[in-house]
Amino acid sequence: MLISPFRLLVLTLCLGIGGLAGADERGFPADFDVPPELWGGIGGGVSRSERAALRHVPVILVSEPGRSHRDWLGANPGNAAPLENGSVVQALLDAGFLPIEIWIPDLSREGDSMGSIEEATDDLKTFISAVMGYTGADRVQLVAQGLGGLLVRITLSKYNIARWIEAEVYLAVPFHGSSGFLPDAEVLHGDPGAWIAAPDSDLVREILLGGETLRVPDPGTGEPRPIPALTVRNGF
């Protein structure tokens, strides 16, 4: 079952950014083949047997580089009003999502900038594929925040895997660049996240070449159709 991107937005926007029921740090299920490149993460329920009860297209929450799954568990609400139930993940659970339908990879070490955009796109693609294989779903829904949204879009474009995506929600993603980018000299010394956020970046232009909403062939007609998507801006 698909939950609309608008409803997915409502569930996540109350956010700040920011458990699996009783959200602890248990990580992923023991029988999930965790991509070795991940720094950590959480989600996926208890075991593969739960896939038989799948209700929704699984959701993958993608954090800003340097942040972690803890944000989605309510650790960093920013300037947003606290959620009654404490976290975005708990809001999804309260809305009827099963633990096996909620996944949060840590694609970089908490507190660090992302060392390589190239490697991170590989890691995200591998993780999406692993989630689909584990749950039996042929698509996923994506919710991404900040530069995590640029990473998502680069990954989908680089590998031409937009067909894997059922719906997208982007929160405060600098699709049109950000004034907080660093000079090229500093970028070359290890802050690729700053480079891709520059308003005149060739990569940002490439991401938006087809617009902010990706299109995939309709299974029935073969004609391009837009993926349901929402972008919430925050001054970018």
Side-chain angles (χ1 to χ4, degrees):
M1 180 194 304
L2 165 67
I3 185 168
S4 74
F6 177 75
R7 188 173 173 211
L8 194 58
L9 169 69
V10 170
L11 293 172
T12 56
L13 187 59
C14 314
L15 104 72
I17 305 248
L20 299 162
D24 51 26
E25 294 298 313
R26 67 176 177 238
F28 298 110
D31 59 353
F32 176 63
D33 189 12
V34 181
E37 300 83 1
L38 292 187
W39 288 94
I42 192 170
V46 176
S47 75
R48 188 187 300 264
S49 63
E50 296 180 15
R51 63 189 267 173
L54 219 64
R55 299 173 185 167
H56 305 95
V57 177
V59 175
I60 297 176
L61 307 174
V62 182
S63 305
E64 167 104 351
R67 307 299 310 179
S68 79
H69 64 274
R70 295 182 182 85
D71 283 3
W72 303 96
L73 298 178
N76 181 35
N79 59 5
L83 289 175
E84 272 186 28
N85 53 22
S87 77
V88 167
V89 173
Q90 190 59 52
L92 290 170
L93 290 167
D94 291 347
F97 277 79
L98 298 173
I100 195 174
E101 298 168 340
I102 305 169
W103 300 80
I104 316 173
D106 291 340
L107 297 167
S108 62
R109 183 163 53 190
E110 191 168 12
D112 286 355
S113 61
M114 192 170 288
S116 168
I117 291 296
E118 196 71 21
E119 290 178 8
T121 57
D122 295 344
D123 299 345
L124 180 56
K125 174 187 178 259
T126 299
F127 186 76
I128 293 173
S129 177
V131 168
M132 291 194 300
Y134 186 83
T135 62
D138 62 357
R139 285 163 294 175
V140 298
Q141 302 185 85
L142 294 173
V143 178
Q145 187 267 341
L147 292 174
L150 291 184
L151 173 61
V152 164
R153 182 51 61 84
I154 294 167
T155 303
L156 299 184
S157 300
K158 174 182 173 182
Y159 293 105
N160 193 27
I161 55 172
R163 65 188 182 282
W164 291 4
I165 309 307
E166 180 66 38
E168 309 165 284
V169 172
Y170 293 110
L171 307 171
V173 175
F175 278 132
H176 298 273
S178 166
S179 60
F181 63 91
L182 299 175
D184 289 346
E186 294 185 44
V187 169
L188 292 174
H189 286 86
D191 199 339
W195 169 59
I196 62 175
D200 58 352
S201 161
D202 288 340
L203 190 49
V204 166
R205 290 174 180 161
E206 184 177 339
I207 289 169
L208 295 177
L209 193 60
E212 290 185 23
T213 302
L214 294 177
R215 293 177 175 270
V216 295
D218 184 274
T221 66
E223 294 297 316
R225 65 171 178 84
I227 297 175
L230 281 174
T231 299
V232 179
R233 305 192 188 286
N234 186 24
F236 294 121

